[in-house]
Amino acid sequence: LNATAGRWFLVETNYDHFEKPRTGDDRRDPEIRAMEAIGQQKIDADGIWSVLSIDHVNRTAGEREPMNTMTIYTTVMQASKPSTFRTLVRGADKEEQENTVVLV
């Protein structure tokens, strides 16, 4: 990471950041676009949550939603603000997801 050179974040999925993800399982590129759209000056825990919850991607380019039925849970926490801790047990549909939020 090197914020002054524009590398202020690193997206890591099931594939190392230096390896190309398999076609049909690219969750990295949609997350990178979302992080860049938010920007370094505006990123916060809610922004990270939105990046991890993307549900619209370019499937024809081999992308896959980070929020998909294979995701068991998502957690966002912030070391500088211990009160920021949010976990969602992901379900098969949005109604189930909305009913399984765990906030600590």
Side-chain angles (χ1 to χ4, degrees):
L1 295 177
N2 182 343
T4 57
R7 287 199 41 110
W8 58 275
F9 67 89
L10 176 67
V11 172
E12 188 75 48
T13 60
N14 291 50
Y15 306 97
D16 289 324
H17 64 276
F18 52 83
E19 292 181 357
K20 183 177 178 173
R22 287 185 292 196
T23 300
D25 196 27
D26 180 5
R27 292 161 282 151
R28 183 185 312 141
D29 286 336
E31 290 177 335
I32 289 171
R33 284 194 306 273
M35 289 291 291
E36 289 172 342
I38 294 170
Q40 183 177 3
Q41 301 305 317
K42 294 183 180 178
I43 196 68
D44 59 11
D46 289 334
I48 296 291
W49 190 263
S50 70
V51 169
L52 297 173
S53 300
I54 295 170
D55 61 359
H56 292 86
V57 297
N58 184 353
R59 289 186 169 272
T60 59
E63 295 179 352
R64 181 176 183 198
E65 302 88 347
M67 184 179 80
N68 61 68
T69 58
M70 298 293 289
T71 302
I72 298 170
Y73 71 92
T74 299
T75 298
V76 172
M77 60 188 93
Q78 191 172 355
S80 63
K81 292 174 73 178
S83 62
T84 302
F85 188 97
R86 181 177 182 188
T87 294
L88 175 64
V89 179
R90 302 287 190 179
D93 59 43
K94 288 188 178 194
E95 181 180 342
E96 184 179 353
Q97 291 171 5
E98 291 170 1
N99 293 324
T100 58
V101 173
V102 179
L103 296 175
V104 178

